[in-house]
Structure formats: structure tokens, C-alpha cells
Amino acid sequence: MGKFNNFRSYIADNLEIPNDAFSDNFDLRMHGNQKIIIENHTGIVVYENDEVGIKTNEQKILIRGSKFKIEEINSFKVIIKGEIKEIIFSKE
């Protein structure tokens, strides 16, 4: 596994791509309590007005709050807006 990770780092460095783009880890960023951006997700498992569940390679992220709307979604990134009150991480 170490050689594969070194190869991914080598490719990322030579192509000037962030290492995270080749990583299995997710990246989560928040803008206050109104917006959350999750990169490297594998799908949405729950989508309700007051709860959103996002699956990643190793975890499930459950976001609780109110007035949730998906602002953007693609195969790599999801952006959710609403009033975020709680984030729960759980292993699958």
C-alpha cells in the first residue's frame, strides 16, 4: 500500500494536483453554520428537510439542522446550505 500512496503523491506533484484529489479521505469545510462542502464523497444516503446523510469511503456523515437544500452536487463534491446544528460521524 505504501508504494501505491507514494505513486499517487508523485503523480499529484508532477501534475500540480492537490494530493487530496487522489486520496480516499474526504474533505469537509464549513462556512459558519449555513453551508457545508464535502469533497470526495460516494453518495447521499439521506436527504430530508432536517437531515442529510453523506457516505464516504470509510464513514457516514449525518448532518442535522433545518431548511437543507443541495446547492451543488457532482461525483466529487456536494454543497449543502441550511441551518446546521449538528454533525455526526460514524463508521460503516
Side-chain angles (χ1 to χ4, degrees):
M1 185 71 124
K3 288 183 181 180
F4 183 68
N5 286 335
N6 289 340
F7 177 71
R8 287 196 294 194
S9 292
Y10 173 79
I11 294 294
D13 289 342
N14 284 320
L15 296 176
E16 297 181 5
I17 298 171
N19 248 338
D20 292 346
F22 286 104
S23 172
D24 287 339
N25 296 327
F26 67 90
D27 182 43
L28 184 147
R29 288 174 280 149
M30 288 185 66
H31 296 253
N33 70 333
Q34 300 295 315
K35 184 177 190 177
I36 190 165
I37 302 166
I38 300 172
E39 294 180 343
N40 208 13
H41 71 93
T42 57
I44 294 178
V45 293
V46 176
Y47 180 64
E48 303 289 335
N49 186 45
D50 61 350
E51 188 172 87
V52 177
I54 308 289
K55 190 173 181 334
T56 69
N57 284 326
E58 297 181 6
Q59 298 189 47
K60 182 179 172 187
I61 304 167
L62 186 63
I63 305 160
R64 291 188 176 147
S66 61
K67 301 177 187 170
F68 288 135
K69 293 193 187 316
I70 296 174
E71 182 178 277
E72 179 183 334
I73 185 168
N74 58 44
S75 62
F76 181 69
K77 173 174 63 175
V78 61
I79 300 175
I80 299 166
K81 280 189 160 184
E83 186 178 331
I84 300 164
K85 295 180 182 172
E86 181 178 22
I87 301 174
I88 300 168
F89 300 93
S90 62
K91 293 282 184 184
E92 292 282 77

